[in-house]
Short mmCIF file of all heavy atoms in Angstrom, two decimals:
data_model
loop_
_atom_site.label_atom_id
_atom_site.label_comp_id
_atom_site.label_asym_id
_atom_site.label_seq_id
_atom_site.Cartn_x
_atom_site.Cartn_y
_atom_site.Cartn_z
N VAL A 14 122.86 143.63 141.62
CA VAL A 14 122.41 142.80 140.51
C VAL A 14 123.55 142.67 139.57
O VAL A 14 123.86 141.49 139.09
CB VAL A 14 121.25 143.54 139.80
CG1 VAL A 14 121.46 144.86 139.18
CG2 VAL A 14 120.64 142.55 138.79
N GLN A 15 124.46 143.67 139.33
CA GLN A 15 125.51 143.41 138.37
C GLN A 15 126.51 142.45 138.97
O GLN A 15 127.15 141.60 138.23
CB GLN A 15 126.30 144.69 138.01
CG GLN A 15 127.23 144.53 136.90
CD GLN A 15 126.72 144.08 135.56
OE1 GLN A 15 125.80 144.78 134.95
NE2 GLN A 15 127.09 142.98 135.11
N ALA A 16 126.89 142.56 140.18
CA ALA A 16 127.86 141.60 140.82
C ALA A 16 127.33 140.18 140.85
O ALA A 16 128.12 139.20 140.68
CB ALA A 16 128.24 142.06 142.33
N ALA A 17 126.10 140.07 141.08
CA ALA A 17 125.41 138.67 141.09
C ALA A 17 125.48 138.01 139.64
O ALA A 17 125.82 136.84 139.61
CB ALA A 17 123.95 138.82 141.58
N ILE A 18 125.28 138.77 138.62
CA ILE A 18 125.39 138.33 137.19
C ILE A 18 126.87 138.01 136.96
O ILE A 18 127.09 136.97 136.23
CB ILE A 18 124.73 139.41 136.38
CG1 ILE A 18 123.24 139.39 136.53
CG2 ILE A 18 125.12 139.10 134.92
CD1 ILE A 18 122.47 140.48 135.67
N ASP A 19 127.72 138.86 137.34
CA ASP A 19 129.21 138.70 136.98
C ASP A 19 129.76 137.49 137.61
O ASP A 19 130.74 136.76 137.18
CB ASP A 19 130.05 139.99 137.39
CG ASP A 19 129.69 141.02 136.43
OD1 ASP A 19 129.08 140.87 135.38
OD2 ASP A 19 130.04 142.23 136.88
N ALA A 20 129.21 136.98 138.80
CA ALA A 20 129.93 135.89 139.66
C ALA A 20 130.00 134.58 138.84
O ALA A 20 129.08 134.35 138.08
CB ALA A 20 129.05 135.71 140.88
N PRO A 21 130.96 133.87 139.05
CA PRO A 21 131.18 132.52 138.39
C PRO A 21 130.02 131.66 138.69
O PRO A 21 129.45 131.80 139.76
CB PRO A 21 132.49 131.98 138.85
CG PRO A 21 132.91 132.85 139.95
CD PRO A 21 132.12 134.07 140.00
N ARG A 22 129.69 130.87 137.74
CA ARG A 22 128.50 129.89 137.79
C ARG A 22 128.83 128.55 138.07
O ARG A 22 129.92 128.05 137.59
CB ARG A 22 127.58 130.06 136.70
CG ARG A 22 126.95 131.55 136.62
CD ARG A 22 125.91 131.54 135.48
NE ARG A 22 125.37 133.00 135.35
CZ ARG A 22 125.43 133.70 134.28
NH1 ARG A 22 125.92 133.26 133.23
NH2 ARG A 22 124.94 134.95 134.46
N SER A 23 127.90 127.76 138.49
CA SER A 23 128.06 126.18 138.60
C SER A 23 126.74 125.66 137.98
O SER A 23 125.78 126.29 138.08
CB SER A 23 128.41 125.78 139.92
OG SER A 23 127.37 126.12 140.79
N PHE A 24 126.84 124.50 137.42
CA PHE A 24 125.63 123.93 136.85
C PHE A 24 125.70 122.30 137.10
O PHE A 24 126.77 121.75 136.54
CB PHE A 24 125.54 124.32 135.47
CG PHE A 24 124.22 123.64 134.73
CD1 PHE A 24 122.92 124.34 135.09
CD2 PHE A 24 124.33 122.67 134.01
CE1 PHE A 24 121.79 123.78 134.50
CE2 PHE A 24 123.11 122.12 133.47
CZ PHE A 24 121.89 122.62 133.65
N ALA A 25 124.82 121.84 137.72
CA ALA A 25 124.76 120.25 137.91
C ALA A 25 124.01 119.66 136.79
O ALA A 25 122.87 120.01 136.39
CB ALA A 25 124.00 119.89 139.28
N ASP A 26 124.63 118.74 136.04
CA ASP A 26 124.16 118.12 134.76
C ASP A 26 124.36 116.58 134.98
O ASP A 26 125.34 116.16 134.78
CB ASP A 26 124.82 118.72 133.54
CG ASP A 26 124.12 118.14 132.26
OD1 ASP A 26 122.96 117.64 132.34
OD2 ASP A 26 124.79 118.23 131.27
N GLY A 27 123.24 116.02 135.51
CA GLY A 27 123.25 114.55 135.73
C GLY A 27 124.28 114.26 136.81
O GLY A 27 124.11 114.75 137.97
N THR A 28 125.35 113.61 136.50
CA THR A 28 126.47 113.22 137.47
C THR A 28 127.62 114.12 137.48
O THR A 28 128.56 113.91 138.18
CB THR A 28 126.82 111.77 137.25
OG1 THR A 28 127.40 111.66 135.98
CG2 THR A 28 125.64 110.79 137.38
N THR A 29 127.49 115.23 136.70
CA THR A 29 128.75 116.12 136.55
C THR A 29 128.26 117.49 137.13
O THR A 29 127.25 117.94 136.83
CB THR A 29 129.17 116.17 135.12
OG1 THR A 29 129.50 114.83 134.62
CG2 THR A 29 130.34 117.01 134.98
N LEU A 30 129.42 118.17 137.70
CA LEU A 30 129.20 119.54 138.22
C LEU A 30 130.15 120.35 137.34
O LEU A 30 131.38 120.16 137.35
CB LEU A 30 129.42 119.68 139.55
CG LEU A 30 129.43 121.04 140.18
CD1 LEU A 30 127.97 121.61 140.07
CD2 LEU A 30 129.88 121.19 141.68
N ALA A 31 129.50 121.27 136.46
CA ALA A 31 130.39 122.22 135.76
C ALA A 31 130.70 123.36 136.58
O ALA A 31 129.72 124.12 137.11
CB ALA A 31 129.68 122.45 134.41
N LEU A 32 131.85 123.84 136.66
CA LEU A 32 132.29 125.05 137.35
C LEU A 32 132.99 125.94 136.42
O LEU A 32 133.88 125.57 135.65
CB LEU A 32 133.24 124.76 138.35
CG LEU A 32 132.83 123.93 139.58
CD1 LEU A 32 134.09 123.71 140.52
CD2 LEU A 32 131.67 124.61 140.39
N GLU A 33 132.40 127.18 136.11
CA GLU A 33 133.18 128.26 135.37
C GLU A 33 134.41 128.60 136.00
O GLU A 33 134.56 128.46 137.28
CB GLU A 33 132.25 129.40 135.24
CG GLU A 33 131.15 129.41 134.30
CD GLU A 33 130.36 130.66 134.13
OE1 GLU A 33 130.31 131.57 135.09
OE2 GLU A 33 129.82 130.97 132.99
N ARG A 34 135.31 129.07 135.11
CA ARG A 34 136.60 129.63 135.64
C ARG A 34 136.20 130.79 136.58
O ARG A 34 135.16 131.61 136.39
CB ARG A 34 137.39 130.10 134.52
CG ARG A 34 137.97 129.00 133.71
CD ARG A 34 138.81 129.54 132.50
NE ARG A 34 139.44 128.34 131.81
CZ ARG A 34 138.86 127.55 131.05
NH1 ARG A 34 137.56 127.69 130.74
NH2 ARG A 34 139.51 126.48 130.53
N GLY A 35 137.05 131.06 137.53
CA GLY A 35 136.81 132.19 138.53
C GLY A 35 136.39 131.86 139.87
O GLY A 35 136.30 132.62 140.70
N HIS A 36 136.03 130.51 140.11
CA HIS A 36 135.73 129.96 141.46
C HIS A 36 137.02 129.99 142.22
O HIS A 36 138.05 130.06 141.71
CB HIS A 36 135.08 128.71 141.37
CG HIS A 36 133.53 128.59 141.05
ND1 HIS A 36 132.63 128.98 141.90
CD2 HIS A 36 133.04 128.40 139.90
CE1 HIS A 36 131.52 128.91 141.37
NE2 HIS A 36 131.73 128.54 140.05
N ALA A 37 136.87 129.90 143.46
CA ALA A 37 138.02 129.86 144.42
C ALA A 37 138.96 128.71 143.92
O ALA A 37 138.60 127.73 143.71
CB ALA A 37 137.54 129.65 145.89
N PRO A 38 140.27 129.18 144.03
CA PRO A 38 141.32 128.05 143.73
C PRO A 38 141.17 126.91 144.75
O PRO A 38 140.88 126.98 145.85
CB PRO A 38 142.67 128.85 144.01
CG PRO A 38 142.39 130.29 143.99
CD PRO A 38 140.85 130.47 144.45
N GLY A 39 141.30 125.85 144.01
CA GLY A 39 141.08 124.54 144.77
C GLY A 39 139.77 124.00 144.93
O GLY A 39 139.51 122.88 145.43
N LEU A 40 138.71 124.75 144.64
CA LEU A 40 137.34 124.36 144.79
C LEU A 40 137.12 123.01 144.07
O LEU A 40 136.44 122.14 144.56
CB LEU A 40 136.29 125.38 144.44
CG LEU A 40 134.81 125.03 144.50
CD1 LEU A 40 134.47 124.67 145.98
CD2 LEU A 40 134.00 126.19 143.96
N ALA A 41 137.36 123.04 142.67
CA ALA A 41 137.20 121.89 141.96
C ALA A 41 137.83 120.56 142.54
O ALA A 41 137.28 119.56 142.65
CB ALA A 41 137.74 122.01 140.53
N ALA A 42 139.07 120.76 143.10
CA ALA A 42 139.86 119.57 143.67
C ALA A 42 139.11 119.28 144.92
O ALA A 42 138.92 117.99 145.15
CB ALA A 42 141.25 120.00 143.95
N ASP A 43 138.68 120.22 145.71
CA ASP A 43 137.93 119.88 147.02
C ASP A 43 136.72 119.00 146.72
O ASP A 43 136.40 118.06 147.48
CB ASP A 43 137.66 121.13 147.80
CG ASP A 43 138.93 121.79 148.39
OD1 ASP A 43 140.04 121.07 148.31
OD2 ASP A 43 138.78 122.91 148.81
N LEU A 44 135.92 119.53 145.72
CA LEU A 44 134.76 118.75 145.36
C LEU A 44 134.96 117.43 144.81
O LEU A 44 134.25 116.45 145.11
CB LEU A 44 133.91 119.72 144.40
CG LEU A 44 133.20 120.96 144.95
CD1 LEU A 44 132.79 121.86 143.90
CD2 LEU A 44 132.13 120.65 146.01
N GLY A 45 136.05 117.34 143.99
CA GLY A 45 136.54 115.99 143.49
C GLY A 45 136.79 115.09 144.65
O GLY A 45 136.49 113.84 144.60
N ALA A 46 137.39 115.56 145.61
CA ALA A 46 137.93 114.70 146.78
C ALA A 46 136.71 114.25 147.53
O ALA A 46 136.73 113.19 148.27
CB ALA A 46 138.83 115.55 147.72
N LEU A 47 135.50 115.02 147.54
CA LEU A 47 134.27 114.54 148.01
C LEU A 47 133.46 113.60 147.24
O LEU A 47 132.43 113.14 147.59
CB LEU A 47 133.47 115.76 148.49
CG LEU A 47 134.04 116.70 149.46
CD1 LEU A 47 133.11 118.02 149.57
CD2 LEU A 47 134.06 116.03 150.89
N GLY A 48 134.03 113.25 146.12
CA GLY A 48 133.37 112.28 145.20
C GLY A 48 132.63 112.88 143.93
O GLY A 48 132.04 112.12 143.25
N HIS A 49 132.64 114.19 143.90
CA HIS A 49 131.88 114.84 142.77
C HIS A 49 132.83 114.73 141.52
O HIS A 49 133.99 114.82 141.45
CB HIS A 49 131.62 116.35 143.11
CG HIS A 49 130.72 116.44 144.15
ND1 HIS A 49 129.39 116.31 144.13
CD2 HIS A 49 130.94 116.85 145.53
CE1 HIS A 49 128.86 116.57 145.36
NE2 HIS A 49 129.78 116.82 146.23
N ARG A 50 132.08 114.47 140.33
CA ARG A 50 132.82 114.69 139.13
C ARG A 50 132.71 116.08 138.63
O ARG A 50 131.51 116.56 138.32
CB ARG A 50 132.19 113.64 138.04
CG ARG A 50 132.94 113.64 136.81
CD ARG A 50 132.72 112.53 135.79
NE ARG A 50 131.27 112.08 135.91
CZ ARG A 50 130.67 111.40 134.91
NH1 ARG A 50 131.23 111.30 133.76
NH2 ARG A 50 129.48 110.91 135.16
N VAL A 51 133.76 116.84 138.50
CA VAL A 51 133.79 118.20 138.19
C VAL A 51 134.45 118.47 136.92
O VAL A 51 135.51 117.79 136.63
CB VAL A 51 134.56 119.01 139.43
CG1 VAL A 51 134.55 120.51 138.95
CG2 VAL A 51 133.87 118.76 140.67
N THR A 52 133.84 119.24 136.08
CA THR A 52 134.46 119.78 134.86
C THR A 52 134.51 121.27 134.79
O THR A 52 133.68 121.95 135.56
CB THR A 52 133.64 119.39 133.65
OG1 THR A 52 132.42 120.05 133.66
CG2 THR A 52 133.53 117.79 133.56
N VAL A 53 135.48 121.94 134.05
CA VAL A 53 135.50 123.27 133.86
C VAL A 53 135.42 123.49 132.34
O VAL A 53 136.28 123.27 131.52
CB VAL A 53 136.88 123.87 134.33
CG1 VAL A 53 136.99 125.31 134.13
CG2 VAL A 53 137.10 123.45 135.87
N PRO A 54 134.10 123.87 132.01
CA PRO A 54 133.99 124.08 130.57
C PRO A 54 134.59 125.23 129.89
O PRO A 54 134.96 126.21 130.54
CB PRO A 54 132.41 124.20 130.46
CG PRO A 54 132.04 124.77 131.74
CD PRO A 54 132.97 124.22 132.77
N ASP A 55 134.95 125.03 128.60
CA ASP A 55 135.45 126.29 127.88
C ASP A 55 134.47 127.35 127.61
O ASP A 55 134.82 128.56 127.55
CB ASP A 55 135.96 125.80 126.49
CG ASP A 55 137.23 124.80 126.69
OD1 ASP A 55 137.99 125.00 127.66
OD2 ASP A 55 137.32 123.91 125.81
N GLN A 56 133.18 127.04 127.52
CA GLN A 56 132.10 128.07 127.20
C GLN A 56 131.49 128.54 128.55
O GLN A 56 131.40 127.76 129.50
CB GLN A 56 131.07 127.48 126.27
CG GLN A 56 131.61 126.93 124.98
CD GLN A 56 132.12 128.02 124.20
OE1 GLN A 56 131.68 129.25 124.08
NE2 GLN A 56 133.34 127.84 123.57
N PRO A 57 130.94 129.75 128.52
CA PRO A 57 130.30 130.22 129.71
C PRO A 57 128.97 129.47 130.00
O PRO A 57 128.41 128.77 129.08
CB PRO A 57 129.88 131.64 129.38
CG PRO A 57 130.26 131.87 128.03
CD PRO A 57 131.01 130.69 127.50
N LEU A 58 128.48 129.40 131.22
CA LEU A 58 127.32 128.69 131.59
C LEU A 58 126.18 129.74 131.66
O LEU A 58 125.99 130.36 132.62
CB LEU A 58 127.50 128.06 132.94
CG LEU A 58 128.52 127.00 133.16
CD1 LEU A 58 128.71 126.50 134.51
CD2 LEU A 58 128.23 125.83 132.16
N GLY A 59 125.50 129.92 130.58
CA GLY A 59 124.31 130.77 130.50
C GLY A 59 124.61 132.22 130.34
O GLY A 59 125.72 132.56 129.96
N GLY A 60 123.60 133.01 130.54
CA GLY A 60 123.70 134.41 130.32
C GLY A 60 122.49 135.06 131.06
O GLY A 60 121.54 134.41 131.30
N ALA A 61 122.55 136.33 131.40
CA ALA A 61 121.48 136.93 132.14
C ALA A 61 121.43 138.46 131.83
O ALA A 61 122.56 139.12 131.70
CB ALA A 61 121.64 136.70 133.67
N GLN A 62 120.23 138.95 131.87
CA GLN A 62 120.05 140.49 132.01
C GLN A 62 118.98 140.57 133.04
O GLN A 62 118.00 139.80 133.13
CB GLN A 62 119.70 141.11 130.69
CG GLN A 62 120.68 141.38 129.74
CD GLN A 62 121.28 140.01 128.99
OE1 GLN A 62 120.36 139.24 128.66
NE2 GLN A 62 122.49 139.95 128.84
N ALA A 63 119.09 141.58 133.95
CA ALA A 63 118.02 141.76 134.96
C ALA A 63 117.83 143.20 135.28
O ALA A 63 118.74 144.01 135.11
CB ALA A 63 118.56 140.91 136.21
N ILE A 64 116.64 143.41 135.83
CA ILE A 64 116.33 144.79 136.35
C ILE A 64 115.65 144.59 137.68
O ILE A 64 114.62 143.73 137.74
CB ILE A 64 115.34 145.60 135.34
CG1 ILE A 64 116.07 145.82 134.11
CG2 ILE A 64 114.96 146.92 136.03
CD1 ILE A 64 115.23 146.47 133.02
N LEU A 65 116.08 145.14 138.69
CA LEU A 65 115.47 145.10 140.02
C LEU A 65 114.92 146.43 140.30
O LEU A 65 115.50 147.47 140.02
CB LEU A 65 116.44 144.76 141.07
CG LEU A 65 117.15 143.46 140.97
CD1 LEU A 65 118.06 143.13 142.08
CD2 LEU A 65 116.02 142.27 141.03
N ILE A 66 113.77 146.45 140.99
CA ILE A 66 113.08 147.67 141.42
C ILE A 66 113.43 147.80 142.88
O ILE A 66 112.90 147.02 143.73
CB ILE A 66 111.68 147.76 141.16
CG1 ILE A 66 111.47 147.66 139.61
CG2 ILE A 66 111.06 149.16 141.66
CD1 ILE A 66 109.88 147.55 139.24
N GLY A 67 114.21 148.70 143.34
CA GLY A 67 114.55 148.96 144.83
C GLY A 67 113.41 149.43 145.62
O GLY A 67 112.41 149.90 144.97
N ASP A 68 113.44 149.25 146.94
CA ASP A 68 112.44 149.82 147.72
C ASP A 68 112.19 151.26 147.58
O ASP A 68 111.12 151.83 147.86
CB ASP A 68 112.86 149.50 149.29
CG ASP A 68 112.82 148.00 149.60
OD1 ASP A 68 112.10 147.29 148.90
OD2 ASP A 68 113.50 147.69 150.55
N ASP A 69 113.27 152.07 146.96
CA ASP A 69 113.14 153.47 146.75
C ASP A 69 112.52 153.76 145.41
O ASP A 69 112.38 154.89 144.99
CB ASP A 69 114.58 154.03 146.88
CG ASP A 69 115.53 153.41 145.95
OD1 ASP A 69 115.15 152.49 145.23
OD2 ASP A 69 116.71 153.87 146.08
N GLY A 70 112.17 152.67 144.55
CA GLY A 70 111.60 152.85 143.31
C GLY A 70 112.66 153.01 142.22
O GLY A 70 112.28 153.10 140.99
N VAL A 71 113.87 153.05 142.50
CA VAL A 71 114.95 153.08 141.53
C VAL A 71 115.12 151.80 140.88
O VAL A 71 115.28 150.74 141.48
CB VAL A 71 116.20 153.63 142.09
CG1 VAL A 71 117.32 153.69 141.08
CG2 VAL A 71 116.00 154.99 142.68
N LEU A 72 115.25 151.78 139.47
CA LEU A 72 115.46 150.68 138.71
C LEU A 72 117.10 150.39 138.71
O LEU A 72 117.83 151.45 138.43
CB LEU A 72 115.05 150.78 137.29
CG LEU A 72 113.54 151.03 137.05
CD1 LEU A 72 113.20 151.16 135.60
CD2 LEU A 72 112.69 149.88 137.65
N ARG A 73 117.41 149.19 139.00
CA ARG A 73 118.88 148.87 138.98
C ARG A 73 119.08 147.75 137.93
O ARG A 73 118.47 146.63 138.26
CB ARG A 73 119.43 148.45 140.38
CG ARG A 73 119.40 149.72 141.28
CD ARG A 73 119.75 149.22 142.65
NE ARG A 73 119.87 150.32 143.52
CZ ARG A 73 118.82 151.08 144.13
NH1 ARG A 73 117.55 150.51 143.86
NH2 ARG A 73 119.03 152.13 144.94
N GLY A 74 119.77 147.92 137.00
CA GLY A 74 120.03 146.90 135.97
C GLY A 74 121.39 146.25 135.95
O GLY A 74 122.27 146.94 136.31
N GLY A 75 121.43 145.09 135.42
CA GLY A 75 122.74 144.40 135.07
C GLY A 75 122.75 143.59 133.89
O GLY A 75 121.66 143.04 133.47
N SER A 76 123.84 143.48 133.13
CA SER A 76 123.90 142.82 131.88
C SER A 76 125.03 141.92 131.92
O SER A 76 126.17 142.37 132.25
CB SER A 76 123.86 143.75 130.78
OG SER A 76 123.87 143.06 129.56
N ASP A 77 125.00 140.69 131.42
CA ASP A 77 126.01 139.70 131.51
C ASP A 77 127.06 139.99 130.43
O ASP A 77 126.80 139.97 129.30
CB ASP A 77 125.47 138.28 131.27
CG ASP A 77 126.26 137.19 131.84
OD1 ASP A 77 127.49 137.31 131.82
OD2 ASP A 77 125.70 136.25 132.23
N PRO A 78 128.32 140.01 130.90
CA PRO A 78 129.38 140.17 129.83
C PRO A 78 129.55 138.88 129.02
O PRO A 78 130.34 138.92 128.02
CB PRO A 78 130.63 140.58 130.77
CG PRO A 78 130.29 140.14 132.00
CD PRO A 78 128.87 140.08 132.19
N ARG A 79 129.05 137.80 129.45
CA ARG A 79 129.25 136.56 128.82
C ARG A 79 128.43 136.47 127.46
O ARG A 79 128.82 135.73 126.60
CB ARG A 79 128.75 135.33 129.57
CG ARG A 79 129.53 135.17 130.94
CD ARG A 79 128.68 134.16 131.73
NE ARG A 79 129.31 133.79 133.08
CZ ARG A 79 129.01 134.59 134.18
NH1 ARG A 79 128.26 135.67 134.13
NH2 ARG A 79 129.61 134.29 135.25
N LYS A 80 127.53 137.34 127.21
CA LYS A 80 126.60 137.33 126.16
C LYS A 80 126.39 138.76 125.59
O LYS A 80 126.56 139.72 126.36
CB LYS A 80 125.26 136.78 126.48
CG LYS A 80 125.20 135.32 127.09
CD LYS A 80 125.50 134.41 126.02
CE LYS A 80 125.34 132.94 126.64
NZ LYS A 80 125.61 131.90 125.73
N ASP A 81 125.87 138.95 124.38
CA ASP A 81 125.39 140.17 123.89
C ASP A 81 123.97 140.47 124.66
O ASP A 81 123.28 139.56 124.86
CB ASP A 81 125.19 140.12 122.50
CG ASP A 81 126.52 140.18 121.60
OD1 ASP A 81 127.55 140.54 122.22
OD2 ASP A 81 126.42 139.64 120.52
N GLY A 82 123.78 141.78 124.94
CA GLY A 82 122.49 142.09 125.42
C GLY A 82 122.64 143.28 126.33
O GLY A 82 123.83 143.75 126.61
N CYS A 83 121.52 143.79 126.88
CA CYS A 83 121.47 144.84 127.77
C CYS A 83 120.34 144.81 128.66
O CYS A 83 119.41 144.17 128.27
CB CYS A 83 121.64 146.23 127.02
SG CYS A 83 120.26 146.49 125.91
N ALA A 84 120.24 145.45 129.79
CA ALA A 84 119.03 145.60 130.64
C ALA A 84 118.49 146.99 130.39
O ALA A 84 119.15 147.96 130.58
CB ALA A 84 119.55 145.42 132.05
N LEU A 85 117.25 146.90 129.98
CA LEU A 85 116.54 148.22 129.64
C LEU A 85 115.30 148.29 130.48
O LEU A 85 114.53 147.23 130.69
CB LEU A 85 116.19 148.28 128.23
CG LEU A 85 117.27 148.34 127.16
CD1 LEU A 85 116.71 148.36 125.85
CD2 LEU A 85 118.07 149.65 127.35
N GLY A 86 114.98 149.42 131.01
CA GLY A 86 113.66 149.54 131.70
C GLY A 86 113.36 151.07 131.89
O GLY A 86 114.14 151.87 131.68
N TYR A 87 112.13 151.24 132.22
CA TYR A 87 111.52 152.72 132.26
C TYR A 87 110.51 152.77 133.28
O TYR A 87 109.89 151.75 133.66
CB TYR A 87 111.19 153.33 131.04
CG TYR A 87 110.10 152.67 130.26
CD1 TYR A 87 108.76 152.97 130.57
CD2 TYR A 87 110.36 151.61 129.43
CE1 TYR A 87 107.70 152.41 129.91
CE2 TYR A 87 109.33 150.88 128.80
CZ TYR A 87 108.02 151.30 129.09
OH TYR A 87 106.91 150.65 128.41
#
Side-chain angles (χ1 to χ4, degrees):
V14 66
Q15 187 63 56
I18 289 172
D19 289 344
R22 296 187 178 125
S23 58
F24 183 77
D26 186 16
T28 60
T29 303
L30 177 64
L32 295 178
E33 281 187 329
R34 287 177 177 79
H36 281 282
L40 178 63
D43 291 346
L44 290 168
L47 293 171
H49 299 282
R50 184 168 26 158
V51 178
T52 63
V53 179
D55 292 328
Q56 300 298 319
L58 298 174
Q62 283 76 41
I64 298 171
L65 298 178
I66 303 172
D68 292 336
D69 56 4
V71 174
L72 301 177
R73 291 172 177 82
S76 184
D77 201 329
R79 296 169 182 87
K80 304 282 185 182
D81 287 338
C83 62
L85 296 174
Y87 62 91

